[in-house]
Amino acid sequence: MKVIDILPIAYRNLTRRKTRTFLTSFAVFIGIFLLTVMISLGLGVRTWLLNMITGQMEYTRITVAQEGTMSGGTFSSMGTGQGSLVGEEELNKKVISQTVVDEISKFDHVTQVQPMTMSIPKSAKLEGQEKEITNIMGFGFDVLESDTYIKGVLAGSMHNWYQNKNNVLVSQHFTDTYQVNPQDVIGKKLNIRFAKEGSGGMMFMNNSGGEEIVIEQIIVAVIDVGEDQLNYALPLEKEIEVKVSKKENTTKEDYLENTGYPFLYVNTDDLSNTKEVAKKIKEMDFDAITVEDLIGMINTIFIVIQAVLAIFGLIALFVASIGIINTMIMSIYERTKEIGVMKAIGATNANIRMIFITEAGLIGFLGGVAGAFFGYFSAYGLQVFLNIYLKNIGESSQNFFTFPWELAVGSIFFAVLIGILAGLYPASRASKLDPIEALRYE
Amino acid sequence: MIKLENVFKTYTLGKNTINAIDNLSMEIKKGEFVAIVGPSGSGKSTLLHLIGGLDHPSKGNVSLLNITLAKLKDSKLAEYRNKHIGFVFQNFNLQPILTAAENVALPLVFANFGSKTRKQKALQALKKVGLDDRADHKPAELSGGESQRVAIARALVNDPQILIADEPTGNLDSKTGDKIMNLFKKLNREQNITVIIVTHNMEDAAFADRQIKMRDGVILKS
């Protein structure tokens, strides 16, 4: 007996009790639906996150930070380089001093070492505007010009911008906040006010008391930084100057040796060498993360998240399989006589088993197809709604939707497998019925 | 052709053992039309099940076409039933979801025939019982007599040498019953099929060449 011969019979047997078949495969449907939506969402968010991160990082780049600051793939405790969030000296960790920078520069395959600082000033004021903006964030970073971090130049020119330390770049977030056209701010003056350390001007606090440092910069370009929070970028030299002048009794040299940079970007000549260089930097007791590491960490996190999400689907499918077992056992009671007849006319035990396993598999298949189908449209619908929401709150739309065909096919196969597994026990029971007893059954 | 030697079939009911078949020996020749008659509980159905390879004797030997049934595994026994025996039941026992032709073709599914051959053979078998015009009807759309003829066609479809019928007219009126018995007679005469029926209807038994009277698991008269 061939499966192809049983399928139409199995299908018609299932249509004998339409409601029961529907309800039984509906449970499978819920399981598969949950499973596919969860996995699709997990995949989609992961892809989105990976794109976002790798999109603004050079593949051959290693991000170096103080040991322990980049654990778990998050930059949460990177600090601001002002020593105000985490007292770096207190941690007694090796600082990324100028000496370190020079040392790494001499490594094989290292093409460029780019220190980077971050700063959170008290406020900034644009020439001709009354409004002072607060809660802003800036970078000291020279090579922005050629970096993938920059999504585009909206106005002005970035050419050699950092060679004049009185220049400043502002991001689209900045012009959005001031509600001005990017073109209109080029050449204008930007006053940035920093609080002097130890004078009550801790970060995130904007009390007007205490000593202040005010710098005046010329806006040379408006840059698109995508999703990043950056508001402005200063030439590295200027940033260091500000940081030095914020502290009492310190020189630039002292600062760079004792406080150092919060992090460095180390560029290598080829992707194949990044691992080796990263290893060497780690041996110097620094954190060194490559894009590969980052992707690996994100993948690990998402495997865990997806596993947790998938467990919900699996629980639903487990319940569904109990439903299938129940339905099949009931079906055997109803069709006991029929089983006897089939045995009398020459069905072997294996044939009977096959018929019931096929029916159970078919229940799984029906639920699986419906689940995958609705799963696809729900994941798609979710994406559409999310983007409508993002648009309403003024954010750009994102693509979270991922539904590879393998997910659809795989989940249907999985549903069939669940059906078959659930059908094993009832089918074996049916096949073992004594034909005479079965024929006598009314 | 069919040979039973000192066959016992014993059932245990609580502390009592009952011999449904009690040291029975008999022979049925090829092409015979035999009616097994007797009151209920006489063991006639059990005898039929033993001949049909649905049941194993507790003791003794059942052989058919020189095959000792006791030696066959379950799967071989199923194959034996499929190839050599055609069963007809009192309640027709057609599958309600299948058409007449599909019901008739069912034994061929288990015999691994392709769908084309199955269709062809099923129509041939339906023709033999005069129902080829009802091939696409479901059992619910057939009368009792028609249903039983479809069941006979199903029994015939694999060209068996032996046709076994358990009270084939039990659910039919006497006129239709006669028609069915005539059909058995015809198949027996024209196709030389060995027909064995169990009945307690003496009119039906009269169609047979030989009557085997049973009581309490033994043959009274043969």
Side-chain angles (χ1 to χ4, degrees):
Chain A
M1 190 173 65
K2 298 172 197 101
V3 178
I4 192 96
D5 292 328
I6 314 170
L7 273 174
I9 298 175
Y11 176 74
R12 270 188 275 180
N13 269 324
L14 290 179
T15 57
R16 267 154 101 169
R17 303 258 179 205
K18 287 193 185 71
T19 313
R20 190 172 69 190
T21 302
F22 170 77
L23 290 174
T24 310
S25 53
F26 190 73
V28 179
F29 160 77
I30 290 173
I32 292 294
F33 173 77
L34 279 176
L35 205 65
T36 50
V37 172
M38 295 293 185
I39 291 176
S40 165
L41 213 64
L43 284 175
V45 173
R46 189 187 63 178
T47 310
W48 167 77
L49 203 62
L50 284 177
N51 284 341
M52 200 176 85
I53 285 171
T54 55
Q56 42 180 256
M57 278 179 92
E58 307 272 0
Y59 282 95
T60 55
R61 174 176 289 171
I62 302 162
T63 307
V64 180
Q66 270 194 309
E67 200 180 11
T69 49
M70 290 198 296
S71 55
T74 62
F75 295 88
S76 57
S77 57
M78 255 186 182
T80 59
Q82 292 176 311
S84 47
L85 242 193
V86 181
E88 281 137 16
E89 291 93 342
E90 287 161 31
L91 282 172
N92 207 14
K93 293 240 171 85
K94 261 179 101 173
V95 297
I96 306 172
S97 63
Q98 192 58 49
T99 320
V100 171
V101 173
D102 296 341
E103 201 178 328
I104 294 173
S105 306
K106 285 176 198 138
F107 282 0
D108 285 345
H109 308 299
V110 171
T111 54
Q112 191 185 30
V113 179
Q114 177 60 50
M116 194 174 161
T117 62
M118 289 167 80
S119 60
I120 297 180
K122 286 178 79 170
S123 64
K125 195 177 174 199
L126 181 68
E127 185 190 354
Q129 291 259 347
E130 283 305 309
K131 193 160 57 182
E132 285 210 348
I133 59 165
T134 55
N135 286 333
I136 57 172
M137 195 171 93
F139 277 1
F141 191 33
D142 286 352
V143 291
L144 277 173
E145 199 176 336
S146 60
D147 207 273
T148 47
Y149 176 80
I150 306 295
K151 302 283 174 286
V153 179
L154 302 173
S157 163
M158 281 177 78
H159 184 66
N160 284 340
W161 72 281
Y162 55 89
Q163 291 192 347
N164 182 346
K165 64 181 184 181
N166 292 322
N167 285 347
V168 65
L169 302 178
V170 295
S171 72
Q172 83 276 21
H173 301 307
F174 182 89
T175 48
D176 285 351
T177 310
Y178 274 111
Q179 293 173 320
V180 287
N181 267 328
Q183 286 79 14
D184 298 343
V185 298
I186 303 299
K188 285 200 172 164
K189 285 183 191 135
L190 180 68
N191 292 305
I192 308 171
R193 297 197 302 151
F194 294 93
K196 213 162 177 178
E197 233 166 84
S199 60
M202 299 285 278
M203 61 169 294
F204 300 130
M205 289 179 162
N206 301 295
N207 44 345
S208 49
E211 283 185 73
E212 281 178 354
I213 299 150
V214 183
I215 56 168
E216 189 173 273
Q217 306 290 109
I218 309 288
I219 297 170
V220 289
V222 180
I223 52 175
D224 181 4
V225 294
E227 298 302 306
D228 201 85
Q229 295 301 307
L230 178 90
N231 295 92
Y232 66 86
L234 291 173
L236 183 69
E237 206 190 329
K238 186 76 182 186
E239 266 280 338
I240 299 299
E241 235 173 60
V242 171
K243 285 190 194 304
V244 171
S245 56
K246 274 162 69 179
K247 287 202 171 194
E248 303 284 346
N249 308 320
T250 191
T251 63
K252 190 181 165 188
E253 285 69 28
D254 281 348
Y255 181 87
L256 289 179
E257 283 316 303
N258 298 327
T259 309
Y261 303 103
F263 52 103
L264 299 179
Y265 282 160
V266 176
N267 290 340
T268 60
D269 53 2
D270 194 79
L271 185 62
S272 57
N273 296 322
T274 51
K275 243 188 182 152
E276 190 196 320
V277 175
K279 202 180 151 207
K280 265 169 122 178
I281 297 169
K282 275 178 197 160
E283 281 163 5
M284 293 170 69
D285 295 329
F286 292 109
D287 280 357
I289 288 183
T290 61
V291 173
E292 249 177 289
D293 289 338
L294 213 54
I295 291 170
M297 279 189 282
I298 290 171
N299 281 338
T300 312
I301 292 166
F302 271 89
I303 283 170
V304 175
I305 292 173
Q306 276 178 314
V308 171
L309 294 177
I311 281 170
F312 291 107
L314 288 177
I315 289 170
L317 283 173
F318 177 71
V319 175
S321 69
I322 293 172
I324 294 176
I325 294 173
N326 185 34
T327 293
M328 294 313 291
I329 288 176
M330 273 172 68
S331 171
I332 288 162
Y333 280 125
E334 288 165 7
R335 286 152 65 192
T336 299
K337 191 154 195 176
E338 221 177 279
I339 294 163
V341 173
M342 284 197 282
K343 283 196 163 189
I345 64 172
T348 61
N349 288 2
N351 291 151
I352 302 290
R353 210 179 306 131
M354 198 68 182
I355 289 171
F356 282 92
I357 287 175
T358 307
E359 283 182 29
L362 203 57
I363 291 176
F365 178 78
L366 294 173
V369 168
F373 186 79
F374 282 97
Y376 178 90
F377 283 102
S378 300
Y380 184 74
L382 221 58
Q383 152 90 356
V384 170
F385 277 112
L386 205 66
N387 277 332
I388 290 171
Y389 170 75
L390 284 176
K391 208 172 173 185
N392 282 342
I393 62 166
E395 295 284 334
S396 57
S397 68
Q398 300 295 335
N399 188 20
F400 297 108
F401 178 73
T402 308
F403 204 97
W405 64 269
E406 290 97 333
L407 178 59
V409 173
S411 55
I412 292 169
F413 264 106
F414 190 58
V416 172
L417 185 73
I418 293 279
I420 287 173
L421 288 178
L424 284 180
Y425 166 70
S428 143
R429 244 174 89 152
S431 76
K432 283 182 189 142
L433 284 175
D434 177 45
I436 298 166
E437 293 287 325
L439 278 169
R440 225 177 264 148
Y441 190 89
E442 289 297 334
Chain B
M1 176 169 194
I2 299 165
K3 207 170 174 183
L4 282 83
E5 291 168 302
N6 306 103
V7 171
F8 287 84
K9 182 70 194 182
T10 312
Y11 293 107
T12 312
L13 283 172
K15 284 174 188 167
N16 305 322
T17 52
I18 296 156
N19 286 332
I21 300 290
D22 197 352
N23 195 15
L24 186 147
S25 298
M26 65 170 237
E27 213 171 315
I28 296 170
K29 290 192 182 66
K30 186 168 169 60
E32 259 194 296
F33 189 156
V34 178
I36 304 170
V37 292
S40 17
S42 62
K44 52 189 196 308
S45 285
T46 306
L47 179 60
L48 203 67
H49 292 149
L50 288 171
I51 296 169
L54 279 172
D55 209 354
H56 296 284
S58 307
K59 230 161 80 179
N61 208 355
V62 179
S63 67
L64 192 137
L65 306 161
N66 292 325
I67 305 163
T68 306
L69 296 189
K71 284 182 185 165
L72 296 179
K73 283 188 294 183
D74 276 356
S75 59
K76 283 279 164 199
L77 211 55
E79 197 185 315
Y80 157 87
R81 291 194 295 265
N82 187 276
K83 279 193 180 152
H84 304 299
I85 313 247
F87 279 94
V88 177
F89 308 93
Q90 182 176 353
N91 300 323
F92 329 132
N93 289 335
L94 299 174
Q95 300 255 41
I97 49 156
L98 303 178
T99 65
E102 284 167 338
N103 263 294
V104 173
L106 200 55
L108 301 173
V109 173
F110 301 126
N112 281 324
F113 281 99
S115 69
K116 227 176 177 178
T117 322
R118 292 205 302 264
K119 212 169 251 174
Q120 214 176 344
K121 284 194 166 219
L123 283 174
Q124 271 172 11
L126 279 171
K127 209 165 200 172
K128 279 183 198 170
V129 299
L131 272 182
D132 44 333
D133 57 329
R134 310 286 270 169
D136 295 326
H137 289 252
K138 292 269 173 75
E141 300 158 353
L142 301 171
S143 70
E146 285 173 331
S147 291
Q148 194 58 304
R149 274 149 73 197
V150 171
I152 293 168
R154 180 177 65 187
L156 290 173
V157 76
N158 229 347
D159 300 318
Q161 308 197 37
I162 302 157
L163 210 55
I164 286 175
D166 195 354
E167 304 274 6
T169 62
N171 277 12
L172 303 171
D173 61 73
S174 61
K175 218 169 146 188
T176 317
D178 276 357
K179 278 186 188 162
I180 293 295
M181 289 314 295
N182 273 314
L183 180 59
F184 279 124
K185 188 89 189 169
K186 190 177 148 215
L187 291 167
N188 173 250
R189 289 286 177 272
E190 290 174 6
Q191 318 214 4
N192 201 27
I193 297 172
T194 309
V195 177
I196 306 165
I197 64 161
V198 158
T199 184
H200 50 241
N201 181 333
M202 293 320 282
E203 278 172 48
D204 286 356
F207 281 86
D209 303 331
R210 180 156 69 110
Q211 292 185 17
I212 298 175
K213 289 207 170 72
M214 284 190 73
R215 182 180 284 257
D216 300 331
V218 293
I219 294 171
L220 294 178
K221 198 179 122 195
S222 176

